[in-house]
Amino acid sequence: QPMNLYVSNIAPAVQATDLQQMFAGMGQVLYAKLAANSADGAGYAFVYVPNAERARSAVASLNGAVLGGEKIAVSEMSERPGVVGTRK
């Protein structure tokens, strides 16, 4: 089953391709979508992984990893009817 991951504390210089490359080491990534940076410069993103087991492995391995000089936070997103992408 596919899973969306929420990635936060992303450095301003990081691009979607950087995220895709980082997560690709854990398995196939369908897409990585960066959202606009917040006022403090830290951004966030959504990474869509087609395999839930690999997604959970990515959370365990990459949460706290350094990307662009910042420690990123990676968590699963739960799907709720009527609500798109809520953090778990």
Side-chain angles (χ1 to χ4, degrees), residues 54-83:
R54 289 195 177 157
R56 288 187 183 99
S57 178
V59 170
S61 297
L62 299 177
N63 186 39
V66 176
L67 179 63
E70 298 290 339
K71 280 189 177 183
I72 59 171
V74 183
S75 61
E76 294 179 28
M77 294 188 64
S78 59
E79 299 299 327
R80 297 182 191 167
V83 179

Side-chain angles (χ1 to χ4, degrees), residues 12-73:
V14 171
Q15 301 295 313
T17 53
D18 300 323
L19 281 171
Q20 285 178 317
Q21 289 173 358
M22 179 177 227
F23 280 84
M26 303 304 300
Q28 183 184 13
V29 173
L30 294 181
Y31 69 82
K33 182 177 180 180
L34 274 171
N37 287 338
S38 61
D40 66 359
Y44 62 97
F46 303 99
V47 177
Y48 190 73
V49 180
N51 180 297
E53 184 179 321
R54 289 195 177 157
R56 288 187 183 99
S57 178
V59 170
S61 297
L62 299 177
N63 186 39
V66 176
L67 179 63
E70 298 290 339
K71 280 189 177 183
I72 59 171

